[in-house]
Amino acid sequence: MKILTVNFLTCAVKACKTSPLSFPLHFRDAELEQSDIGYNPSFLRNILPRVDWEALKVTATELGFTTVPSEKPNLDPAPSNTDLPAPETAMETSEPDVADEKVMRDLHTLLLETEVREGKMVCGNCGHEYKIKEGIANFLLPSHLGR
Amino acid sequence: MLPTPSTSHVDPNRIYEPAEDSYLLLDTLSSTNETNFLKHHFGQSGTQSRNAPTPSPIVLEVGTGSGVILAFVTANAEAIFGRPDVLALGTDVNNFACQATKQTVLQTCEGFARDMPSGLRRSPSESTGLLLATLGADLASPIRGGMIDVLIFNPPYVPSAGVPDIKGNTLDSEPAPDDAKSRAESYERDSRLLALSYEGGVDGMEVINRLLEQLPQVLNRDKGVAYILLCQQNRPEETMQRIYNWVGDWYVEVVGRSGNVAGWEKLCIIRIWKG
């Protein structure tokens, strides 16, 4: 299960859906493994608009990743790019900032290359633990928590 | 025609194997009509600056079984959505299916990238979509609201006396000790797993109705799309009429049909979408 996944998940218990505490789920005892996915900046640029940044920061901190910037990288080109093409902005896009590249590569590693193999995810509202075994999280609820 | 993913690693004793319904979904999703619709709906708009990111579509298949459909859509993302950068998620109540789906998707995407003409060859992350996870889950129950752009469901649609219980079961795939009692238990479990993949309760609609209830919540509120397979006994016209009456701007249309009218399984695929 890739780390990015948890940004799209919430507690499976119906009553928790309306609680802000049910997102993001919190990793406990997570065993991570790295897979090798070719770095593809354009894919990453299209993924970032889908990411809830505050939740990602919580997840990253819990897993010990310290390089996530406090603000989501701004990938929208400045309006001047299309309205008034200025030579300076053209220079910027052809030679990307080295720091940005580093940020993007770290995000690539965290979001797309890091997998959770074993561990659990815990709901901050009801405390239910969802186990992860061999990379597959189990969201089936015991009968007393029902559908 | 796009190639069908290999599922030779799938154990037919405990996981639903690709069948007529699966192939109808593959044919429909790759039909000119649907690829044009999806490209228009999720494509990278030509009017925007090339630098502007356009959010990657998130595809969820509910009840993946062998994973043949999710693998097909993920590997062929560029042909179907006009863009390779699709994020794929799958759920199934059967842990064996979750494991099998992961393998099917990963090997199909790797094979797809490897088999491209050498001049076009790119890494899998540049030429196919990306599998985020397969999850053991009842329908879309752990998915955050509004996150899914495209939901695909080949449901248990066969009318039956009831729907097997999914509680406390299925995710425990530890091999049992090999004695007569545990062999009988694992046979019973496998039969139940297979029954879960096709027994749909009254009119075959019990599981489909539960998914339809979750749909407006789980789909992207502006442009979510769902593809659901139905059989004639599900009375698709009634289901479609109900969807027309949902609150909000929902549309529904039959976008695929099995040709075999004489067969007992007359199947159709409906597309539900937010206009």
Side-chain angles (χ1 to χ4, degrees):
Chain A
M1 190 183 98
K2 292 189 190 300
I3 297 292
L4 178 56
T5 313
V6 76
N7 213 268
F8 306 127
L9 299 178
T10 180
C11 185
V13 176
K14 225 175 188 172
C16 287
K17 303 261 181 209
T18 51
S19 165
L21 295 174
S22 66
F23 174 77
L25 298 172
H26 303 285
F27 283 113
R28 297 268 192 279
D29 310 326
E31 275 176 40
L32 306 181
E33 67 183 3
Q34 298 294 126
S35 57
D36 185 21
I37 311 273
Y39 175 58
N40 178 359
S42 57
F43 197 162
L44 193 56
R45 284 165 59 85
N46 290 342
I47 289 172
L48 289 186
R50 307 299 317 249
V51 175
D52 182 302
W53 205 254
E54 293 308 310
L56 175 66
K57 284 194 291 184
V58 171
T59 303
T61 306
E62 287 170 357
L63 295 176
F65 286 81
T66 53
T67 58
V68 175
S70 56
E71 301 286 329
K72 191 189 281 197
N74 182 14
L75 302 171
D76 288 321
S80 61
N81 254 1
T82 44
D83 298 344
L84 297 166
E88 303 93 306
T89 52
M91 288 280 287
E92 272 174 30
T93 50
S94 60
E95 284 175 60
D97 189 325
V98 177
D100 284 351
E101 161 99 17
K102 168 92 172 67
V103 166
M104 291 293 272
R105 281 191 178 271
D106 284 348
L107 285 171
H108 169 79
T109 301
L110 172 64
L111 294 175
L112 303 181
E113 293 194 311
T114 308
E115 310 244 358
V116 182
R117 189 163 170 78
E118 301 285 328
K120 47 195 138 177
M121 284 179 282
V122 184
C123 173
N125 192 51
C126 71
H128 190 76
E129 294 182 345
Y130 298 100
K131 288 202 174 67
I132 305 164
K133 272 188 184 173
E134 295 177 52
I136 293 174
N138 176 3
F139 282 94
L140 293 178
L141 296 168
S143 37
H144 69 277
L145 289 171
R147 286 169 184 165
Chain B
M1 219 170 104
L2 302 171
T4 303
S6 163
T7 52
S8 55
H9 55 285
V10 171
D11 180 351
N13 294 318
R14 45 172 70 146
I15 300 171
Y16 187 77
E17 276 192 299
E20 188 195 357
D21 41 24
S22 328
Y23 298 128
L24 180 62
L25 263 162
L26 300 191
D27 289 346
T28 302
L29 289 166
S30 57
S31 68
T32 311
N33 194 46
E34 289 319 293
T35 58
N36 283 344
F37 172 84
L38 291 167
K39 282 172 186 168
H40 180 74
H41 217 67
F42 297 108
Q44 283 147 317
S45 159
T47 57
Q48 275 177 312
S49 157
R50 277 179 59 84
N51 288 324
T54 47
S56 292
I58 302 180
V59 176
L60 168 68
E61 189 191 356
V62 170
T64 53
S66 67
V68 68
I69 296 165
L70 194 62
F72 181 84
V73 170
T74 310
N76 294 301
E78 188 147 30
I80 295 172
F81 296 93
R83 54 191 296 173
D85 60 332
V86 163
L87 299 171
L89 284 167
T91 65
D92 204 292
V93 292
N94 175 348
N95 190 50
F96 299 112
C98 292
Q99 299 279 8
T101 295
K102 193 170 170 182
Q103 188 179 342
T104 309
V105 178
L106 293 180
Q107 78 189 17
T108 305
C109 289
E110 276 163 25
F112 185 95
R114 195 176 51 233
D115 296 343
M116 286 184 95
S118 56
L120 296 170
R121 192 172 298 159
R122 294 170 293 177
S123 74
S125 79
E126 290 173 309
S127 49
T128 71
L130 192 67
L131 179 69
L132 289 179
T134 57
L135 306 166
D138 177 32
L139 304 174
S141 57
I143 305 294
R144 226 177 115 214
M147 287 296 115
I148 301 304
D149 296 296
V150 179
L151 184 147
I152 302 168
F153 190 30
N154 182 7
Y157 56 79
V158 177
S160 60
V163 177
D165 191 4
I166 57 170
K167 300 287 161 44
N169 74 62
T170 46
L171 283 203
D172 197 11
S173 55
E174 305 289 324
D178 191 27
D179 57 51
K181 181 166 175 282
S182 52
R183 273 200 303 276
E185 279 169 5
S186 83
Y187 176 79
E188 194 189 325
R189 178 200 58 196
D190 290 353
S191 309
R192 194 157 52 100
L193 290 176
L194 281 184
L196 273 165
S197 73
Y198 60 82
E199 288 187 4
V202 177
D203 292 337
M205 282 300 288
E206 290 188 28
V207 184
I208 297 167
N209 281 337
R210 289 205 298 115
L211 189 273
L212 288 173
E213 272 172 38
Q214 294 183 1
L215 207 54
Q217 164 67 20
V218 87
L219 284 185
N220 181 314
R221 273 145 212 159
D222 299 320
K223 50 159 83 174
V225 181
Y227 290 92
I228 300 177
L229 181 138
L230 300 171
C231 78
Q232 205 51 50
Q233 290 107 309
N234 300 148
R235 294 189 236 134
E237 300 77 16
E238 285 178 25
T239 303
M240 290 172 72
Q241 193 54 51
R242 262 169 44 218
I243 294 163
Y244 279 126
N245 296 335
W246 283 358
V247 179
D249 295 323
W250 290 97
Y251 299 86
V252 57
E253 198 176 294
V254 175
V255 292
R257 275 179 210 282
S258 65
N260 185 9
V261 182
W264 72 276
E265 270 192 348
K266 194 181 167 199
L267 306 172
C268 70
I269 289 164
I270 59 171
R271 185 219 294 149
I272 303 168
W273 76 104
K274 201 74 193 274

